[in-house]
Amino acid sequence: GDSVTQMEGPVTLSEEAFLTINCTYTATGYPSLFWYVQYPGEGLQLLLKATKADDKGSNKGFEATYRKETTSFHLEKGSVQVSDSAVYFCALSVASGTYKYIFGTGTRLKVLA
Amino acid sequence: NAGVTQTPKFQVLKTGQSMTLQCAQDMNHNSMYWYRQDPGMGLRLIYYSASEGTTDKGEVPNGYNVSRLNKREFSLRLESAAPSQTSVYFCASRRGVSTDTQYFGPGTRLTVL
């Protein structure tokens, strides 16, 4: 069945370090791919998305490219800030009759000043 | 726009008690979802409603019931609460097609003693 696998955390970085959070997926059909972010005590909110192969989603300095050949959607940021500390979720949505989302287990990022 | 609202924010129940979690969205979305979030488990889908008048089971439906009261409202009911249902519950909605973003409520933190 459809699934999302993302790297386990927690990930701890110093401010201004480079961030990569890996995400790979298994899906039938042609999924849309998403990264969501959850700040402490809040619900999830969309960070970026890509709806077809080779699309690059970007927002707030974060980027991810939809790679069909490697079934991946890795999240990157060139220089993290303390305010980026949060839990990041990779997700996919397949255009079936159910329109369900499949979420990864989340990766906690902690950025130290 | 309030987006997705959930009530209550916090709730403590005793084993065997019942309660209903309320969710409403003001974005005219067709699809609505209920998730639970447990440490290390990511988000797990309990039930969803692809459109007004329809509901379907997700990954972990046992012990829960739902009602799609109208297009705006989607409630989750625990008939006889158990300690295993201690979790954070999130409601979400989206317009309806697979490329759409899901919008999340702020969550309900439920403790069952």
Side-chain angles (χ1 to χ4, degrees), chain A residues 30 32 34 36 38 41-46 49 51 87 89 93-106, chain B residues 31 33 35 37 40-43 45 48 50 57-59 90 94 96-107 109:
Chain A
Y30 301 95
S32 294
F34 305 81
Y36 282 81
Q38 184 180 31
E42 298 184 9
L44 280 70
Q45 56 185 277
L46 179 72
K49 71 178 184 182
T51 59
V87 181
F89 291 90
S93 174
V94 179
S96 66
T98 63
Y99 297 136
K100 288 192 294 186
Y101 262 58
I102 307 294
F103 284 89
T105 53
Chain B
S31 303
Y33 306 80
Y35 295 93
Q37 184 178 32
M41 300 289 289
L43 276 84
L45 182 65
Y48 67 99
K57 295 179 180 179
E59 185 184 353
F90 289 101
R94 70 170 169 171
V97 298
S98 63
T99 56
D100 287 340
T101 301
Q102 276 200 353
Y103 293 85
F104 283 80
R109 186 174 295 275

Side-chain angles (χ1 to χ4, degrees), chain A residues 27-72:
Chain A
T28 53
Y30 301 95
S32 294
L33 301 173
F34 305 81
W35 277 102
Y36 282 81
V37 59
Q38 184 180 31
Y39 298 103
E42 298 184 9
L44 280 70
Q45 56 185 277
L46 179 72
L47 181 59
L48 54 83
K49 71 178 184 182
T51 59
K52 60 183 188 295
D54 300 324
D55 268 1
K56 178 187 281 189
S58 61
N59 186 25
K60 299 181 182 179
F62 290 89
E63 294 183 339
T65 300
Y66 187 163
R67 303 277 188 208
K68 188 164 181 282
E69 63 276 12
T70 55
T71 62
S72 65

Side-chain angles (χ1 to χ4, degrees), chain B residues 16-76:
Chain B
Q17 287 185 318
S18 63
M19 79 161 295
T20 300
L21 281 65
Q22 306 286 354
C23 173
Q25 52 89 11
D26 62 1
M27 296 173 282
N28 201 35
H29 285 172
N30 292 310
S31 303
M32 297 185 74
Y33 306 80
W34 276 107
Y35 295 93
R36 60 178 289 173
Q37 184 178 32
D38 302 296
M41 300 289 289
L43 276 84
R44 293 185 291 171
L45 182 65
I46 305 171
Y47 271 92
Y48 67 99
S49 172
S51 61
E52 187 179 358
T54 68
T55 60
D56 285 286
K57 295 179 180 179
E59 185 184 353
V60 288
N62 290 346
Y64 305 95
N65 285 302
V66 291
S67 295
R68 184 75 184 266
L69 304 170
N70 48 55
K71 193 170 186 179
R72 290 187 63 247
E73 299 173 287
F74 188 40
S75 62
L76 178 72

